[in-house]
Amino acid sequence: MYRTQVEPGWSLDAWRGRARAALAIGVAPEDLQWDGDAQQGLALGAPLPDAPEAGAQLLVPARFMDLASAVLCHRDTGRHGLLYRLLWRIVKGERRLLDRATDPDVVAASTLAAAVRRDSHKMKAFVRFRQIEEGEEAYVAWFEPDHWILDRVAPFFAKRFAGMRWAILTPYRSVRWDGAVLTFGPGGVRADAPADDAREDLWRTYYANIFNPARLNPTMMRQEMPQKYWKGLPEAALLPSLMREAGSRVRDMAEREAQAPRRKIPARHTAPSPVDTGGLVAARAQAADCRRCPLWEPATQTVWGEGPEDARLMFIGEQPGDAEDLTGRPFVGPAGALLDRAFADAGIDRAAAYLTNAVKHFRFEQRGKVRLHKRPDSGHVRACHTWLQRELATVRPDTVVCLGATAASAVFGTGFKHTQERGRWHTLGNGVRAMATVHPAWVLRQPAAARESAYRVLVADLAAVSSGVNEPTRVNVRSQ
Ligand code: URA
């Protein structure tokens, strides 16, 4: 009888080394005690010798290694022995053992692996970084996993947030990313991580806006977002009150819908809509009846631009969202709320600017009761270009700001490289200076840890617009 130990217990390399040593001298599973096994306290066996340096390579199916790497992260104390039993059976001739889905060892290992994968998924979904001031920017998150998954999941965060400095603390272990290397250290306590971050208000506002009370399913929600994670989630603070109010909000919604028919589109015309010159009022009336592309049909109404007809500054977004489609006004939903806040931070007066969209109908995909935003394609942008031209020709702004790549393609042409050109001034053919920046909805879509810096990109570009400090650079662009 032998005994052995895997250190750290979740390490595939460590377990493989011990398993190889046992196989090399032919130790059967029943003759090997793994520290952590239930009978470990009895410590009956002799220590397992190390494997010979040039020990034979273990040839096992990749599927087994994949299963083992997950099982090892489980807290179950019998997992090392269970895996060794599976390995023993495989190398002794049961090569297709893992295909036998009802085999008790296979069932046990698969169950442990599934729990670890679930826990890993929760970690990816529910880790929320908080910014700490440390001279340079750094973020810390607190998370309490059910299993030993930090080493398994950390590379995911390194890839996802490669450009940031961050640390994740758990009760048993911590990991730090300095932009190049992951370094593991001891565990911590919740108080080691900062609590609320002021910018989380923004996230909460967004969450409250997109929360649909009619789709509330508390059982499902608790399954997907178990309550133990709530304390780490800024949006979770809202859940009890949103859930409490869900009933009355649904009633309000039902009443509102009963009073106001959603569709405001006039009956279909056979002839294409006319486009002529004239003021904004005339153009708006014509656009209300637009059939230049199929987007008019499922949408509620054309969402025309808004602002003074002689505005010096024009902002162009992508297309109306759900709230804009229902109200008929641009930028009144969550992206609009964020844009208002960015305007305030950058010193821009929304009321003095003209806000519009490259595409004037809401493109969406119906999923149950929810209408999910769907990006317009170049055909929709082309079809709407005539309306944008009418707005540009009538308002004649000095400065145009494109919010996002779709608006930029409508203004600068489809060859415009938004990522490279973002934040730079260009001069349009008619002498108007123009810049493309990020879309506020893109900021909202960023994971919590990246949202703050994305927001700052938007505000910095808007501040440059507001102060006019950047001189226009002449580049070749499509004329208006
Ligand atoms: N996104 C846009 O691009 N425009 C809007 O009006 C609202 C959201």
Side-chain angles (χ1 to χ4, degrees):
M1 176 69 87
Y2 289 96
R3 66 186 152 86
T4 191
Q5 189 178 7
V6 178
E7 189 55 49
W10 53 81
S11 162
L12 182 62
D13 281 347
W15 176 83
R16 188 167 38 194
R18 299 287 67 211
R20 193 180 283 153
L23 278 179
I25 55 170
V27 182
E30 55 277 17
D31 294 331
L32 183 57
Q33 278 175 21
W34 296 80
D35 275 4
D37 279 0
Q39 74 273 37
Q40 175 223 342
L42 300 175
L44 294 173
L48 183 72
D50 285 339
E53 275 303 310
Q57 283 294 316
L58 264 189
L59 285 179
V60 288
R63 216 171 123 205
F64 173 77
M65 296 317 275
D66 188 46
L67 178 74
S69 70
V71 169
L72 285 166
C73 296
H74 202 283
R75 280 186 189 263
D76 186 280
T77 52
R79 68 197 185 285
H80 298 129
L82 168 65
L83 285 174
Y84 185 64
R85 204 158 53 244
L86 280 170
L87 178 66
W88 176 266
R89 292 175 60 189
I90 290 171
V91 299
K92 294 295 172 195
E94 294 183 69
R95 300 291 300 177
R96 308 192 65 93
L97 175 58
L98 297 186
D99 291 336
R100 301 226 306 266
T102 54
D103 179 275
D105 285 343
V106 175
V107 170
S110 306
T111 306
L112 299 187
V116 166
R117 293 194 181 108
R118 222 170 17 252
D119 201 30
S120 304
H121 167 73
K122 299 284 184 223
M123 181 167 179
K124 290 176 190 172
F126 297 135
V127 156
R128 294 285 184 273
F129 289 102
R130 264 98 187 191
Q131 191 170 359
I132 50 167
E133 302 301 335
E134 243 191 10
E136 63 173 328
E137 233 173 62
Y139 297 85
V140 176
W142 170 253
F143 190 75
E144 293 172 43
D146 287 338
H147 301 289
W148 313 117
I149 57 168
L150 188 64
D151 295 56
R152 181 179 174 84
V153 183
F156 163 85
F157 287 100
K159 206 160 146 203
R160 183 80 171 270
F161 303 120
M164 289 168 30
R165 310 270 175 278
W166 53 258
I168 301 175
L169 310 180
T170 77
Y172 79 99
R173 193 161 163 82
S174 60
V175 62
R176 198 161 58 82
W177 171 251
D178 62 4
V181 178
L182 285 169
T183 311
F184 291 89
V189 292
R190 191 176 164 68
D192 294 338
D196 256 13
D197 180 325
R199 293 291 182 192
E200 286 174 0
D201 283 351
L202 190 61
W203 177 233
R204 276 190 278 266
T205 309
Y206 173 61
Y207 189 82
N209 264 293
I210 61 167
F211 180 83
N212 183 348
R215 303 188 71 214
L216 179 65
N217 180 342
T219 313
M220 192 74 167
M221 245 165 94
R222 284 197 185 92
Q223 253 168 29
E224 274 307 302
M225 198 201 281
Q227 244 155 321
K228 76 170 220 172
Y229 301 118
W230 288 22
K231 53 184 179 287
L233 304 175
E235 65 271 31
L238 294 173
L239 287 174
S241 65
L242 287 172
M243 287 165 80
R244 247 192 335 271
E245 291 160 14
S248 59
R249 284 182 67 189
V250 172
R251 273 194 302 282
D252 284 355
M253 276 165 63
E255 278 160 22
R256 245 185 301 154
E257 280 176 4
Q259 288 159 6
R262 282 162 65 109
R263 286 183 63 82
K264 295 182 189 155
I265 291 199
R268 180 192 274 280
H269 286 279
T270 44
S273 48
V275 174
D276 52 27
T277 50
L280 278 183
V281 175
R284 179 191 188 120
Q286 288 159 7
D289 207 10
C290 184
R291 304 286 185 273
R292 297 176 75 87
C293 80
L295 292 187
W296 70 272
E297 177 118 51
T300 307
Q301 58 193 311
T302 305
V303 179
W304 191 249
E306 189 175 89
E309 198 159 329
D310 59 353
R312 301 296 78 222
L313 184 53
M314 184 185 280
F315 288 91
I316 304 173
E318 181 192 75
Q319 65 160 358
D322 188 68
E324 289 79 13
D325 171 80
L326 295 174
T327 57
R329 297 181 53 208
F331 287 105
V332 293
L338 184 127
L339 187 61
D340 284 347
R341 181 174 170 158
F343 279 162
D345 285 348
I348 290 174
D349 177 9
R350 172 169 173 155
Y354 188 87
L355 271 72
T356 191
N357 284 299
V359 172
K360 309 245 185 288
H361 280 117
F362 178 32
R363 187 181 194 207
F364 62 89
E365 206 176 291
Q366 191 78 45
R367 289 265 182 87
K369 290 181 188 156
V370 175
R371 302 188 303 169
L372 289 181
H373 167 278
K374 196 163 174 205
R375 199 175 185 175
D377 61 33
S378 56
H380 304 125
V381 175
R382 256 196 321 277
C384 245
H385 198 250
T386 186
W387 301 121
L388 187 60
Q389 274 180 311
R390 291 277 292 275
E391 288 174 298
L392 282 161
T394 314
V395 178
R396 302 183 61 220
D398 298 330
T399 303
V400 166
V401 180
C402 302
L403 300 167
T406 302
S409 76
V411 170
F412 297 115
T414 46
F416 186 79
K417 303 233 177 326
H418 184 260
T419 316
Q420 288 156 25
E421 295 294 335
R422 195 224 90 239
R424 294 202 192 142
W425 284 115
H426 298 275
T427 306
L428 300 178
N430 51 9
V432 174
R433 65 180 199 154
M435 180 198 281
T437 185
V438 295
H439 195 287
W442 172 82
V443 175
L444 289 172
R445 281 197 303 273
Q446 297 308 298
R451 207 171 301 127
E452 171 62 14
S453 46
Y455 176 74
R456 267 198 250 112
V457 170
L458 176 62
V459 172
D461 288 347
L462 295 181
V465 170
S466 152
S467 65
V469 283
N470 294 335
E471 282 306 309
T473 319
R474 287 216 162 260
V475 292
N476 292 329
V477 287
R478 196 177 71 177
S479 64
Q480 289 297 300

